[in-house]
Amino acid sequence: MKKILLTFLFLGLSAWMAQVHAEVTLKSTDDVQGSWKLDHTKKSITSKEDIPREDTWVFKDKTVTILHIPRDGTYYDQIPVGFEVEDNKLKVSLLGRSDKFDVFTLVEKTDASMILKGKYGDMYYFNKK
């Protein structure tokens, strides 16, 4: 019984430490300002399949514009939508629904790259443009 309890305690602590280590603090909108090329996405952090992407996210002031989105053999640009940082999360307004948001957690950021995690676990890998 004691071994089982210790095993569960160790597994719980390991999972908690992995989550704490994985997320980076997002302090303000200034942390994501600039033009970011979305290189690829993954369904989860453990997924082996990369989904190539071609769009660019431009964070300027308190709006984000997604450019060069492929659709039906052509490309289009989304009109700017608002974004904010709240409780260390990046909240991007949904187009046409200003009261609804896509919520992202900053996983990793350097001067040249950024990884965001969506609210359903999908991963977004960006390179600074």
Side-chain angles (χ1 to χ4, degrees):
M1 183 71 167
K2 194 173 189 181
K3 288 182 182 180
I4 292 172
L5 181 61
L6 286 174
T7 301
F8 281 115
L9 181 64
F10 177 74
L11 289 174
L13 184 61
S14 297
W16 180 75
M17 289 301 292
Q19 184 178 9
V20 168
H21 177 70
E23 296 178 1
V24 178
T25 302
L26 189 59
K27 297 177 185 115
S28 74
T29 58
D30 294 335
D31 293 341
V32 294
Q33 292 294 317
S35 185
W36 295 91
K37 168 83 170 78
L38 182 54
D39 182 62
H40 66 280
T41 60
K42 289 184 175 186
K43 295 286 183 188
S44 71
I45 197 156
T46 58
S47 176
K48 295 184 190 299
E49 180 186 3
D50 289 351
I51 303 165
R53 297 289 295 262
E54 300 178 39
D55 39 321
T56 300
W57 295 27
V58 180
F59 294 92
K60 184 176 181 185
D61 300 322
K62 293 195 177 197
T63 63
V64 60
T65 306
I66 302 176
L67 307 172
H68 200 71
I69 304 168
R71 174 160 307 161
D72 298 328
T74 186
Y75 297 91
Y76 74 98
D77 298 340
Q78 178 180 300
I79 62 171
V81 294
F83 80 95
E84 60 188 49
V85 172
E86 185 177 290
D87 297 327
N88 295 325
K89 307 270 189 221
L90 176 65
K91 293 175 62 176
V92 177
S93 294
L94 294 176
L95 187 60
R97 302 184 73 189
S98 61
D99 61 331
K100 303 286 183 192
F101 298 90
D102 272 335
V103 180
F104 301 93
T105 303
L106 182 63
V107 175
E108 181 180 310
K109 183 174 180 293
T110 66
D111 291 338
S113 66
M114 172 172 67
I115 302 172
L116 295 177
K117 179 180 174 185
K119 63 183 169 185
Y120 299 113
D122 36 342
M123 305 297 290
Y124 295 76
Y125 295 83
F126 294 90
N127 292 315
K128 188 78 171 187
K129 210 168 169 191

